Coordinates of all heavy atoms in Angstrom, one line a residue:
M1 N -23.3 233.0 -74.1 CA -22.9 233.3 -75.5 C -21.5 232.8 -75.8 O -21.3 232.2 -76.8 CB -23.0 234.9 -75.6 CG -22.5 235.4 -76.9 SD -23.6 234.9 -78.3 CE -22.7 235.6 -79.6
I2 N -20.5 233.1 -74.9 CA -19.1 232.7 -75.2 C -19.0 231.2 -75.2 O -18.3 230.6 -76.0 CB -18.2 233.4 -74.1 CG1 -18.3 234.8 -74.2 CG2 -16.8 232.8 -74.3 CD1 -17.2 235.6 -74.7
A3 N -19.7 230.6 -74.2 CA -19.6 229.1 -74.1 C -20.2 228.4 -75.4 O -19.6 227.5 -75.9 CB -20.4 228.6 -72.9
S4 N -21.3 229.0 -75.9 CA -21.8 228.3 -77.2 C -20.9 228.6 -78.3 O -20.7 227.7 -79.2 CB -23.2 228.9 -77.5 OG -23.2 230.3 -77.7
L5 N -20.2 229.7 -78.4 CA -19.2 230.0 -79.4 C -18.0 229.0 -79.3 O -17.5 228.5 -80.3 CB -18.7 231.5 -79.3 CG -17.7 231.9 -80.4 CD1 -18.3 231.8 -81.8 CD2 -17.2 233.3 -80.1
Q6 N -17.6 228.8 -78.1 CA -16.5 227.8 -77.9 C -16.9 226.4 -78.4 O -16.1 225.7 -79.0 CB -16.1 227.8 -76.4 CG -15.3 229.0 -76.0 CD -15.0 228.9 -74.5 OE1 -15.7 228.2 -73.7 NE2 -14.0 229.6 -74.1
V7 N -18.1 226.0 -78.1 CA -18.6 224.7 -78.5 C -18.6 224.6 -80.0 O -18.1 223.6 -80.6 CB -20.0 224.4 -78.0 CG1 -20.6 223.2 -78.6 CG2 -20.0 224.3 -76.5
V8 N -19.0 225.7 -80.7 CA -19.0 225.7 -82.2 C -17.6 225.6 -82.7 O -17.3 224.9 -83.7 CB -19.8 226.9 -82.7 CG1 -19.6 227.1 -84.2 CG2 -21.2 226.9 -82.4
I9 N -16.7 226.3 -82.1 CA -15.3 226.3 -82.6 C -14.7 224.9 -82.4 O -14.0 224.4 -83.3 CB -14.5 227.4 -81.8 CG1 -14.9 228.8 -82.3 CG2 -13.0 227.2 -82.0 CD1 -14.3 229.9 -81.5
F10 N -15.0 224.3 -81.2 CA -14.5 223.0 -81.0 C -15.0 222.0 -82.0 O -14.3 221.1 -82.5 CB -14.7 222.5 -79.6 CG -13.7 223.0 -78.6 CD1 -14.1 223.8 -77.5 CD2 -12.4 222.7 -78.7 CE1 -13.2 224.2 -76.6 CE2 -11.4 223.1 -77.8 CZ -11.8 223.9 -76.8
I11 N -16.3 222.0 -82.3 CA -16.9 221.1 -83.3 C -16.3 221.3 -84.6 O -16.0 220.4 -85.3 CB -18.4 221.3 -83.3 CG1 -19.0 220.8 -82.0 CG2 -19.1 220.6 -84.5 CD1 -20.5 221.0 -81.8
V12 N -16.1 222.6 -85.0 CA -15.4 222.8 -86.3 C -14.0 222.3 -86.3 O -13.6 221.7 -87.3 CB -15.4 224.4 -86.6 CG1 -14.5 224.7 -87.8 CG2 -16.8 224.9 -86.9
F13 N -13.3 222.4 -85.2 CA -12.0 221.9 -85.1 C -12.0 220.3 -85.2 O -11.1 219.8 -86.0 CB -11.4 222.3 -83.7 CG -10.1 221.8 -83.4 CD1 -8.9 222.2 -84.1 CD2 -9.9 220.8 -82.4 CE1 -7.7 221.7 -83.8 CE2 -8.6 220.3 -82.1 CZ -7.5 220.8 -82.8
Y14 N -12.9 219.7 -84.6 CA -13.0 218.2 -84.7 C -13.4 217.7 -86.1 O -12.8 216.7 -86.6 CB -13.9 217.6 -83.6 CG -13.5 217.9 -82.2 CD1 -14.4 218.3 -81.2 CD2 -12.2 217.7 -81.8 CE1 -14.0 218.5 -79.9 CE2 -11.8 217.9 -80.5 CZ -12.7 218.3 -79.6 OH -12.3 218.5 -78.3
V15 N -14.3 218.4 -86.7 CA -14.7 218.1 -88.0 C -13.5 218.3 -89.0 O -13.3 217.5 -90.0 CB -16.0 218.9 -88.5 CG1 -16.3 218.7 -89.9 CG2 -17.1 218.4 -87.6
A16 N -12.7 219.4 -88.8 CA -11.6 219.6 -89.7 C -10.5 218.5 -89.5 O -10.0 218.0 -90.5 CB -10.9 221.0 -89.3
I17 N -10.3 218.0 -88.3 CA -9.4 216.9 -88.1 C -9.9 215.7 -88.8 O -9.2 214.9 -89.4 CB -9.1 216.7 -86.6 CG1 -8.3 217.9 -86.0 CG2 -8.4 215.4 -86.4 CD1 -8.1 217.8 -84.6
F18 N -11.2 215.4 -88.7 CA -11.8 214.3 -89.4 C -11.6 214.4 -90.9 O -11.3 213.4 -91.5 CB -13.3 214.1 -89.0 CG -14.0 213.0 -89.8 CD1 -13.6 211.7 -89.6 CD2 -15.0 213.4 -90.7 CE1 -14.2 210.7 -90.4 CE2 -15.6 212.4 -91.4 CZ -15.3 211.0 -91.3
G19 N -11.9 215.6 -91.4 CA -11.7 215.8 -92.9 C -10.2 215.6 -93.3 O -10.0 214.9 -94.3
L20 N -9.3 216.0 -92.5 CA -7.9 215.8 -92.8 C -7.5 214.3 -92.8 O -6.8 213.8 -93.7 CB -7.0 216.6 -91.7 CG -5.5 216.6 -91.9 CD1 -5.2 217.5 -93.1 CD2 -4.9 217.0 -90.7
S21 N -8.0 213.6 -91.8 CA -7.8 212.2 -91.7 C -8.4 211.4 -92.8 O -7.8 210.5 -93.4 CB -8.3 211.6 -90.3 OG -7.7 212.3 -89.3
L22 N -9.6 211.8 -93.2 CA -10.3 211.2 -94.3 C -9.6 211.4 -95.6 O -9.4 210.5 -96.5 CB -11.8 211.7 -94.4 CG -12.7 210.9 -95.3 CD1 -12.8 209.5 -94.9 CD2 -14.0 211.6 -95.3
W23 N -9.1 212.6 -95.8 CA -8.3 213.0 -97.0 C -7.0 212.1 -97.1 O -6.7 211.5 -98.1 CB -7.9 214.4 -97.0 CG -7.0 214.9 -98.1 CD1 -6.8 214.4 -99.3 CD2 -6.0 215.9 -98.0 NE1 -5.8 215.1 -100.0 CE2 -5.3 216.0 -99.2 CE3 -5.7 216.8 -96.9 CZ2 -4.3 217.0 -99.4 CZ3 -4.7 217.8 -97.2 CH2 -4.0 217.8 -98.4
A24 N -6.3 211.9 -95.9 CA -5.1 211.0 -95.9 C -5.5 209.6 -96.2 O -4.8 208.9 -97.0 CB -4.5 211.2 -94.5
L25 N -6.6 209.1 -95.7 CA -7.0 207.7 -95.9 C -7.4 207.5 -97.4 O -7.0 206.5 -98.0 CB -8.2 207.4 -95.0 CG -8.8 206.0 -95.1 CD1 -7.7 205.0 -94.7 CD2 -10.0 205.8 -94.3
I26 N -8.1 208.4 -98.0 CA -8.5 208.3 -99.4 C -7.2 208.3 -100.3 O -7.1 207.5 -101.2 CB -9.5 209.4 -99.8 CG1 -10.8 209.1 -99.1 CG2 -9.7 209.4 -101.3 CD1 -11.8 210.3 -99.3
D27 N -6.3 209.2 -100.0 CA -5.1 209.2 -100.7 C -4.3 207.9 -100.6 O -3.8 207.4 -101.6 CB -4.2 210.4 -100.3 CG -2.9 210.5 -101.1 OD1 -3.0 211.0 -102.3 OD2 -1.9 210.1 -100.7
L28 N -4.2 207.4 -99.4 CA -3.5 206.2 -99.1 C -4.1 205.0 -99.9 O -3.3 204.2 -100.5 CB -3.5 205.9 -97.6 CG -2.8 204.6 -97.3 CD1 -1.6 204.8 -96.5 CD2 -3.8 203.7 -96.5
L29 N -5.4 204.9 -99.9 CA -6.0 203.8 -100.6 C -5.8 203.9 -102.1 O -5.9 202.9 -102.8 CB -7.5 203.8 -100.3 CG -7.9 203.5 -98.8 CD1 -9.4 203.7 -98.6 CD2 -7.4 202.1 -98.5
R30 N -5.5 205.1 -102.7 CA -5.3 205.2 -104.1 C -3.9 204.9 -104.5 O -3.6 204.7 -105.7 CB -5.6 206.6 -104.5 CG -7.1 207.0 -104.3 CD -7.4 208.4 -104.7 NE -7.2 208.6 -106.1 CZ -7.0 209.7 -106.7 NH1 -7.0 210.8 -105.9 NH2 -6.8 209.8 -108.0
R31 N -3.0 204.8 -103.6 CA -1.6 204.5 -103.9 C -1.3 203.0 -104.0 O -1.9 202.2 -103.2 CB -0.7 205.0 -102.8 CG -0.8 206.5 -102.5 CD -0.3 207.3 -103.6 NE -0.6 208.8 -103.3 CZ -0.3 209.7 -104.2 NH1 0.3 209.4 -105.3 NH2 -0.6 210.9 -103.9
P32 N -0.5 202.5 -104.9 CA -0.2 201.1 -105.0 C 0.7 200.7 -103.9 O 1.5 201.4 -103.4 CB 0.5 201.0 -106.4 CG 1.1 202.3 -106.6 CD 0.1 203.3 -106.0
S33 N 0.6 199.4 -103.5 CA 1.3 198.9 -102.3 C 2.8 198.9 -102.6 O 3.7 199.1 -101.7 CB 0.9 197.5 -102.0 OG -0.4 197.5 -101.6
S34 N 3.2 198.7 -103.9 CA 4.6 198.6 -104.2 C 5.3 200.0 -104.1 O 6.6 200.0 -104.0 CB 4.8 198.1 -105.6 OG 4.2 199.0 -106.6
A35 N 4.6 201.1 -104.1 CA 5.2 202.4 -104.1 C 5.8 202.7 -102.7 O 6.8 203.4 -102.6 CB 4.2 203.5 -104.4
F36 N 5.3 202.1 -101.6 CA 5.8 202.4 -100.3 C 7.2 201.9 -100.1 O 8.1 202.7 -99.7 CB 4.8 201.9 -99.3 CG 3.5 202.7 -99.2 CD1 2.5 202.4 -100.1 CD2 3.3 203.7 -98.3 CE1 1.3 203.1 -100.2 CE2 2.2 204.5 -98.3 CZ 1.2 204.2 -99.2
P37 N 7.5 200.6 -100.3 CA 8.9 200.2 -100.1 C 9.9 200.9 -101.2 O 11.0 201.1 -100.8 CB 8.9 198.7 -100.4 CG 7.5 198.3 -100.5 CD 6.6 199.5 -100.6
Q38 N 9.4 201.1 -102.3 CA 10.2 201.8 -103.3 C 10.6 203.2 -102.9 O 11.7 203.7 -103.2 CB 9.5 201.9 -104.7 CG 9.4 200.6 -105.4 CD 8.6 200.8 -106.7 OE1 7.9 201.8 -106.9 NE2 8.6 199.8 -107.5
A39 N 9.8 203.9 -102.1 CA 10.1 205.2 -101.6 C 10.8 205.2 -100.3 O 11.2 206.2 -99.8 CB 8.8 206.0 -101.4
G40 N 11.1 204.0 -99.8 CA 11.8 203.8 -98.5 C 11.0 204.1 -97.3 O 11.5 204.4 -96.3
K41 N 9.7 203.9 -97.5 CA 8.7 204.1 -96.4 C 8.2 202.7 -95.9 O 8.4 201.7 -96.5 CB 7.6 204.9 -96.8 CG 8.0 206.3 -97.2 CD 8.6 207.1 -96.1 CE 9.1 208.4 -96.5 NZ 9.8 209.2 -95.5
R42 N 7.6 202.7 -94.7 CA 7.0 201.5 -94.3 C 5.9 201.0 -95.2 O 5.5 201.8 -96.1 CB 6.4 201.7 -92.9 CG 7.5 202.0 -91.9 CD 7.0 201.4 -90.6 NE 8.1 201.4 -89.6 CZ 8.2 200.6 -88.6 NH1 7.3 199.7 -88.5 NH2 9.2 200.7 -87.8
T43 N 5.3 199.8 -95.0 CA 4.4 199.3 -95.9 C 3.0 200.0 -95.9 O 2.7 200.8 -95.0 CB 4.1 197.8 -95.5 OG1 3.5 197.8 -94.3 CG2 5.4 197.0 -95.5
K44 N 2.3 199.7 -97.0 CA 1.0 200.4 -97.1 C 0.1 199.9 -96.0 O -0.8 200.7 -95.4 CB 0.3 200.0 -98.5 CG -1.0 200.7 -98.7 CD -1.5 200.4 -100.1 CE -2.8 201.1 -100.3 NZ -3.3 200.9 -101.7
G45 N 0.2 198.6 -95.5 CA -0.6 198.1 -94.4 C -0.3 198.9 -93.1 O -1.2 199.2 -92.4
F46 N 1.0 199.2 -92.9 CA 1.3 199.9 -91.7 C 0.7 201.3 -91.7 O 0.0 201.7 -90.7 CB 2.9 200.0 -91.6 CG 3.3 200.9 -90.5 CD1 3.5 200.4 -89.2 CD2 3.7 202.3 -90.7 CE1 3.9 201.2 -88.2 CE2 4.1 203.1 -89.7 CZ 4.2 202.6 -88.4
W47 N 0.8 202.0 -92.8 CA 0.3 203.4 -92.9 C -1.3 203.3 -93.0 O -1.9 204.2 -92.5 CB 0.9 204.1 -94.1 CG 2.2 204.6 -93.8 CD1 3.4 204.1 -94.2 CD2 2.6 205.6 -92.8 NE1 4.5 204.7 -93.6 CE2 4.0 205.7 -92.8 CE3 1.8 206.4 -92.0 CZ2 4.6 206.6 -91.9 CZ3 2.5 207.3 -91.2 CH2 3.9 207.4 -91.1
G48 N -1.8 202.2 -93.5 CA -3.2 202.0 -93.5 C -3.8 201.9 -92.1 O -4.8 202.5 -91.8
A49 N -3.1 201.2 -91.3 CA -3.5 201.0 -89.9 C -3.4 202.4 -89.2 O -4.3 202.8 -88.4 CB -2.6 200.0 -89.2
I50 N -2.3 203.1 -89.4 CA -2.2 204.4 -88.7 C -3.3 205.4 -89.1 O -3.9 206.0 -88.3 CB -0.8 205.0 -89.0 CG1 0.4 204.2 -88.5 CG2 -0.7 206.5 -88.5 CD1 0.6 204.2 -87.0
V51 N -3.4 205.5 -90.4 CA -4.4 206.5 -90.9 C -5.8 206.0 -90.7 O -6.7 206.8 -90.5 CB -4.1 206.8 -92.4 CG1 -5.1 207.7 -93.0 CG2 -2.7 207.4 -92.6
G52 N -6.0 204.7 -90.8 CA -7.4 204.2 -90.6 C -7.8 204.4 -89.1 O -9.0 204.8 -88.9
V53 N -6.9 204.1 -88.2 CA -7.3 204.4 -86.8 C -7.4 205.9 -86.5 O -8.3 206.3 -85.8 CB -6.2 203.8 -85.9 CG1 -6.3 204.3 -84.4 CG2 -6.2 202.3 -85.9
A54 N -6.6 206.7 -87.2 CA -6.7 208.2 -87.0 C -8.1 208.6 -87.5 O -8.7 209.5 -86.9 CB -5.6 208.9 -87.8
T55 N -8.5 208.1 -88.6 CA -9.8 208.5 -89.2 C -11.0 208.0 -88.2 O -11.9 208.8 -88.0 CB -10.0 207.9 -90.6 OG1 -8.9 208.3 -91.4 CG2 -11.3 208.4 -91.2
A56 N -10.9 206.8 -87.8 CA -11.9 206.3 -86.9 C -12.0 207.1 -85.6 O -13.0 207.4 -85.1 CB -11.7 204.8 -86.6
V57 N -10.8 207.4 -85.0 CA -10.7 208.1 -83.7 C -11.2 209.5 -83.9 O -12.0 210.1 -83.1 CB -9.3 208.1 -83.2 CG1 -9.1 209.1 -82.1 CG2 -8.9 206.7 -82.7
S58 N -10.8 210.2 -85.0 CA -11.2 211.6 -85.3 C -12.8 211.7 -85.5 O -13.4 212.6 -85.1 CB -10.5 212.2 -86.4 OG -10.8 211.5 -87.6
F59 N -13.3 210.6 -86.1 CA -14.8 210.6 -86.2 C -15.5 210.4 -84.8 O -16.5 211.0 -84.5 CB -15.2 209.5 -87.2 CG -16.7 209.4 -87.3 CD1 -17.4 210.4 -88.0 CD2 -17.4 208.4 -86.7 CE1 -18.8 210.3 -88.2 CE2 -18.8 208.3 -86.8 CZ -19.5 209.2 -87.6
S60 N -14.9 209.5 -84.0 CA -15.5 209.2 -82.7 C -15.3 210.3 -81.7 O -16.0 210.3 -80.7 CB -14.8 207.9 -82.2 OG -15.0 206.8 -83.0
V61 N -14.5 211.3 -81.9 CA -14.3 212.4 -81.0 C -15.3 213.5 -81.2 O -15.6 214.3 -80.3 CB -12.8 212.9 -81.1 CG1 -12.6 214.2 -80.4 CG2 -11.8 211.9 -80.6
I62 N -15.9 213.6 -82.4 CA -16.8 214.6 -82.7 C -18.0 214.5 -81.7 O -18.7 213.5 -81.6 CB -17.3 214.5 -84.2 CG1 -16.2 214.7 -85.2 CG2 -18.4 215.5 -84.4 CD1 -16.6 214.4 -86.6
P63 N -18.2 215.6 -81.0 CA -19.3 215.6 -80.0 C -20.7 215.7 -80.6 O -21.0 216.8 -81.2 CB -19.0 216.8 -79.1 CG -18.2 217.7 -80.0 CD -17.5 216.9 -81.0
I64 N -21.4 214.6 -80.6 CA -22.8 214.6 -81.0 C -23.7 214.5 -79.8 O -23.5 213.6 -79.0 CB -23.1 213.4 -82.0 CG1 -22.1 213.6 -83.2 CG2 -24.5 213.4 -82.5 CD1 -22.1 212.4 -84.1
P65 N -24.7 215.4 -79.6 CA -25.5 215.3 -78.4 C -26.2 214.0 -78.2 O -26.8 213.5 -79.2 CB -26.5 216.5 -78.6 CG -25.9 217.4 -79.6 CD -25.0 216.5 -80.5
G66 N -26.0 213.4 -77.0 CA -26.7 212.2 -76.7 C -25.9 210.9 -77.1 O -26.3 209.8 -76.9
V67 N -24.8 211.1 -77.8 CA -24.0 210.0 -78.2 C -22.6 210.0 -77.5 O -22.0 211.1 -77.5 CB -23.7 210.0 -79.8 CG1 -22.8 208.9 -80.2 CG2 -25.1 210.0 -80.5
P68 N -22.2 208.9 -76.9 CA -20.9 209.0 -76.2 C -19.8 209.1 -77.2 O -19.9 208.6 -78.3 CB -20.9 207.6 -75.4 CG -21.9 206.8 -76.1 CD -22.9 207.7 -76.7
H69 N -18.8 209.8 -76.8 CA -17.6 210.0 -77.7 C -16.3 209.8 -76.9 O -16.3 209.9 -75.7 CB -17.7 211.4 -78.4 CG -17.8 212.5 -77.4 ND1 -16.7 213.1 -76.9 CD2 -18.9 213.2 -77.0 CE1 -17.1 214.1 -76.1 NE2 -18.4 214.2 -76.1
L70 N -15.3 209.7 -77.6 CA -13.9 209.5 -77.0 C -13.4 210.8 -76.4 O -13.9 211.9 -76.7 CB -12.9 209.0 -78.1 CG -13.2 207.6 -78.6 CD1 -12.2 207.3 -79.7 CD2 -13.1 206.5 -77.5
P71 N -12.4 210.7 -75.5 CA -11.8 211.9 -75.0 C -11.3 212.8 -76.1 O -10.7 212.3 -77.1 CB -10.7 211.4 -74.1 CG -11.1 210.0 -73.7 CD -11.9 209.5 -74.9
S72 N -11.4 214.1 -75.9 CA -11.1 215.1 -76.9 C -9.6 215.1 -77.3 O -9.2 215.4 -78.4 CB -11.4 216.5 -76.4 OG -12.8 216.5 -76.2
F73 N -8.7 214.8 -76.3 CA -7.3 214.9 -76.6 C -6.8 213.9 -77.7 O -5.8 214.0 -78.4 CB -6.4 214.7 -75.4 CG -6.3 213.3 -74.9 CD1 -5.3 212.5 -75.3 CD2 -7.3 212.8 -74.0 CE1 -5.2 211.2 -74.8 CE2 -7.2 211.5 -73.5 CZ -6.1 210.7 -74.0
L74 N -7.6 212.8 -77.9 CA -7.3 211.8 -78.9 C -7.4 212.4 -80.3 O -6.8 211.9 -81.2 CB -8.2 210.6 -78.8 CG -8.0 209.8 -77.5 CD1 -9.0 208.6 -77.4 CD2 -6.6 209.2 -77.4
A75 N -8.1 213.5 -80.5 CA -8.2 214.2 -81.8 C -6.8 214.7 -82.2 O -6.5 214.6 -83.4 CB -9.2 215.3 -81.8
L76 N -6.0 215.1 -81.2 CA -4.7 215.6 -81.6 C -3.8 214.5 -82.0 O -3.0 214.7 -83.0 CB -4.1 216.3 -80.4 CG -4.8 217.6 -79.9 CD1 -4.2 218.1 -78.6 CD2 -4.8 218.6 -81.0
L77 N -3.9 213.3 -81.4 CA -3.1 212.2 -81.9 C -3.5 211.7 -83.3 O -2.7 211.4 -84.1 CB -3.3 211.0 -80.9 CG -2.8 211.3 -79.5 CD1 -3.1 210.1 -78.5 CD2 -1.3 211.6 -79.5
A78 N -4.8 211.8 -83.5 CA -5.3 211.4 -84.9 C -4.8 212.4 -85.9 O -4.4 212.0 -87.0 CB -6.9 211.4 -84.9
A79 N -4.8 213.7 -85.5 CA -4.3 214.7 -86.5 C -2.8 214.5 -86.7 O -2.3 214.7 -87.9 CB -4.5 216.1 -85.9
V80 N -2.0 214.1 -85.7 CA -0.6 213.9 -85.9 C -0.4 212.7 -86.9 O 0.4 212.8 -87.8 CB 0.1 213.6 -84.6 CG1 1.5 213.0 -84.8 CG2 0.2 214.8 -83.7
G81 N -1.1 211.6 -86.8 CA -1.0 210.5 -87.7 C -1.3 210.9 -89.1 O -0.6 210.6 -90.1
A82 N -2.4 211.7 -89.3 CA -2.8 212.1 -90.7 C -1.8 213.1 -91.3 O -1.4 213.0 -92.4 CB -4.2 212.7 -90.6
I83 N -1.3 214.0 -90.4 CA -0.3 215.0 -90.9 C 1.0 214.4 -91.3 O 1.6 214.8 -92.3 CB -0.2 216.2 -89.9 CG1 -1.5 217.0 -89.8 CG2 1.0 217.0 -90.2 CD1 -1.5 217.9 -88.7
V84 N 1.5 213.5 -90.5 CA 2.7 212.8 -90.8 C 2.6 212.1 -92.2 O 3.5 212.2 -93.0 CB 3.2 211.8 -89.7 CG1 4.3 210.9 -90.2 CG2 3.6 212.6 -88.5
Y85 N 1.5 211.4 -92.4 CA 1.3 210.8 -93.7 C 1.3 211.8 -94.8 O 1.9 211.6 -95.8 CB 0.0 210.0 -93.7 CG -0.3 209.4 -95.1 CD1 0.4 208.3 -95.6 CD2 -1.1 210.1 -96.0 CE1 0.2 207.9 -96.9 CE2 -1.3 209.7 -97.3 CZ -0.7 208.5 -97.7 OH -0.9 208.1 -99.0
L86 N 0.5 212.9 -94.7 CA 0.3 213.9 -95.7 C 1.6 214.6 -96.1 O 1.8 215.0 -97.2 CB -0.8 214.8 -95.4 CG -2.2 214.2 -95.5 CD1 -3.2 215.2 -94.9 CD2 -2.6 213.8 -96.9
V87 N 2.4 215.0 -95.1 CA 3.6 215.8 -95.3 C 4.9 215.0 -95.5 O 5.9 215.5 -96.1 CB 3.8 216.9 -94.3 CG1 2.6 217.8 -94.1 CG2 4.2 216.3 -92.9
D88 N 4.9 213.7 -95.1 CA 6.1 213.0 -95.3 C 6.0 211.8 -96.2 O 6.7 211.7 -97.2 CB 6.6 212.4 -93.9 CG 7.9 211.6 -94.0 OD1 8.8 212.1 -94.7 OD2 8.0 210.6 -93.4
V89 N 5.0 211.0 -96.0 CA 4.8 209.8 -96.8 C 4.3 210.0 -98.2 O 4.8 209.6 -99.2 CB 4.0 208.7 -96.0 CG1 3.8 207.5 -96.9 CG2 4.6 208.4 -94.7
K90 N 3.2 210.8 -98.3 CA 2.5 211.1 -99.5 C 3.5 211.7 -100.6 O 3.6 211.2 -101.7 CB 1.4 212.0 -99.3 CG 0.6 212.4 -100.6 CD -0.5 213.4 -100.4 CE -1.1 213.8 -101.7 NZ -1.9 215.0 -101.6
P91 N 4.3 212.7 -100.2 CA 5.2 213.2 -101.3 C 6.3 212.2 -101.7 O 6.7 212.2 -102.8 CB 5.9 214.5 -100.6 CG 5.0 214.8 -99.5 CD 4.3 213.6 -99.1
A92 N 6.7 211.4 -100.7 CA 7.8 210.4 -101.1 C 7.2 209.3 -102.0 O 7.9 208.8 -102.8 CB 8.3 209.8 -99.8
V93 N 5.9 208.9 -101.8 CA 5.3 207.8 -102.5 C 4.8 208.3 -103.9 O 4.7 207.5 -104.8 CB 4.2 207.2 -101.7 CG1 3.4 206.2 -102.4 CG2 4.8 206.5 -100.4
A94 N 4.5 209.5 -104.0 CA 3.8 210.1 -105.2 C 4.6 209.7 -106.5 O 4.0 209.3 -107.5 CB 3.6 211.6 -105.1
P95 N 5.9 209.9 -106.6 CA 6.6 209.6 -107.8 C 6.5 208.1 -108.3 O 6.7 207.8 -109.4 CB 8.1 210.0 -107.6 CG 8.0 210.9 -106.4 CD 6.8 210.5 -105.6
Y96 N 6.3 207.2 -107.3 CA 6.2 205.8 -107.6 C 4.8 205.3 -107.8 O 4.6 204.1 -108.0 CB 6.8 205.0 -106.5 CG 8.3 205.4 -106.2 CD1 8.6 206.3 -105.2 CD2 9.3 204.9 -107.0 CE1 9.9 206.7 -104.9 CE2 10.6 205.3 -106.8 CZ 10.9 206.2 -105.8 OH 12.2 206.6 -105.5
S97 N 3.8 206.2 -107.8 CA 2.4 205.8 -108.0 C 1.9 205.8 -109.4 O 0.9 205.3 -109.6 CB 1.6 206.8 -107.1 OG 1.9 206.7 -105.8
G98 N 2.7 206.3 -110.3 CA 2.3 206.3 -111.7 C 1.1 207.2 -112.0 O 0.9 208.1 -111.2
G99 N 0.4 207.1 -113.1 CA -0.7 207.9 -113.4 C -0.3 209.3 -113.9 O 0.9 209.5 -114.3
R100 N -1.2 210.2 -113.9 CA -0.9 211.6 -114.4 C 0.1 212.3 -113.5 O 0.7 213.2 -114.0 CB -2.2 212.4 -114.4 CG -3.2 211.8 -115.4 CD -4.4 212.7 -115.5 NE -5.1 212.8 -114.2 CZ -5.8 213.8 -113.8 NH1 -6.0 214.8 -114.6 NH2 -6.4 213.8 -112.6
R101 N 0.2 212.0 -112.2 CA 1.1 212.7 -111.4 C 2.4 212.1 -111.2 O 3.1 212.3 -110.2 CB 0.4 212.9 -110.0 CG -0.8 213.8 -110.1 CD -1.4 214.0 -108.8 NE -2.6 214.9 -109.0 CZ -3.4 215.3 -108.0 NH1 -3.1 214.9 -106.8 NH2 -4.4 216.0 -108.2
G102 N 2.8 211.2 -112.1 CA 4.0 210.5 -112.0 C 5.2 211.5 -112.3 O 5.0 212.7 -112.6
P103 N 6.4 210.9 -112.3 CA 7.6 211.8 -112.5 C 7.6 212.3 -113.9 O 7.2 211.7 -114.8 CB 8.8 210.8 -112.2 CG 8.2 209.5 -112.4 CD 6.8 209.5 -112.0
R104 N 8.2 213.5 -114.0 CA 8.3 214.1 -115.4 C 9.6 213.6 -116.0 O 10.6 213.5 -115.4 CB 8.3 215.6 -115.2 CG 7.0 216.1 -114.7 CD 7.0 217.6 -114.6 NE 5.7 218.1 -114.2 CZ 5.5 219.0 -113.3 NH1 6.5 219.5 -112.7 NH2 4.3 219.4 -113.0
G105 N 9.5 213.4 -117.3 CA 10.7 212.9 -118.0 C 11.6 214.0 -118.4 O 11.4 215.2 -118.0
P106 N 12.7 213.7 -119.0 CA 13.7 214.7 -119.3 C 13.2 215.8 -120.3 O 13.8 216.8 -120.5 CB 14.9 214.0 -119.9 CG 14.3 212.7 -120.3 CD 13.1 212.4 -119.5
S107 N 12.1 215.5 -121.0 CA 11.6 216.4 -122.1 C 10.7 217.5 -121.5 O 10.2 218.3 -122.2 CB 10.9 215.6 -123.1 OG 9.8 214.9 -122.6
G108 N 10.4 217.4 -120.2 CA 9.6 218.5 -119.6 C 8.2 218.0 -119.2 O 7.9 216.9 -119.4
P109 N 7.5 218.9 -118.6 CA 6.2 218.5 -118.1 C 5.1 218.2 -119.1 O 4.1 217.5 -118.9 CB 5.7 219.7 -117.2 CG 6.5 220.9 -117.8 CD 7.8 220.3 -118.3
S110 N 5.3 218.7 -120.3 CA 4.3 218.5 -121.4 C 4.6 217.3 -122.3 O 3.9 217.1 -123.2 CB 4.1 219.8 -122.2 OG 5.3 220.1 -122.8
G111 N 5.7 216.6 -122.0 CA 6.0 215.4 -122.9 C 7.0 215.8 -124.0 O 7.4 216.9 -124.1
G112 N 7.3 214.8 -124.8 CA 8.2 215.0 -125.9 C 7.5 215.6 -127.1 O 6.3 215.6 -127.2
W113 N 8.3 216.0 -128.0 CA 7.8 216.6 -129.3 C 7.7 215.6 -130.3 O 8.0 215.0 -131.0 CB 8.7 217.8 -129.7 CG 8.6 218.9 -128.8 CD1 9.3 219.2 -127.7 CD2 7.7 220.0 -128.9 NE1 8.9 220.3 -127.1 CE2 7.9 220.9 -127.8 CE3 6.7 220.4 -129.8 CZ2 7.2 222.0 -127.6 CZ3 6.0 221.5 -129.6 CH2 6.3 222.3 -128.5

């Protein structure tokens, strides 16, 4: 009973890391390449490689019966790559990305009168 509960918890953990990595990858792909150097961060290609590998590794670590998978500790490395992007790079790049979530002007969040 306990062993099967542990397996379920680990699978949920690995799927959560995959979801986090996928969220970081989708966000990265939506950002313009020019926003990264403007924010003082490395290039979009560099972060694309980090987050792309993190997403692939986190998917490959998920234990599926009968399918070989990578060692489990690699999920932690994948999580680190995705978390660094989401908490450091994403907020720095967001003001340079334009669109609805761009910087607010001096007239406030709802625009000028």
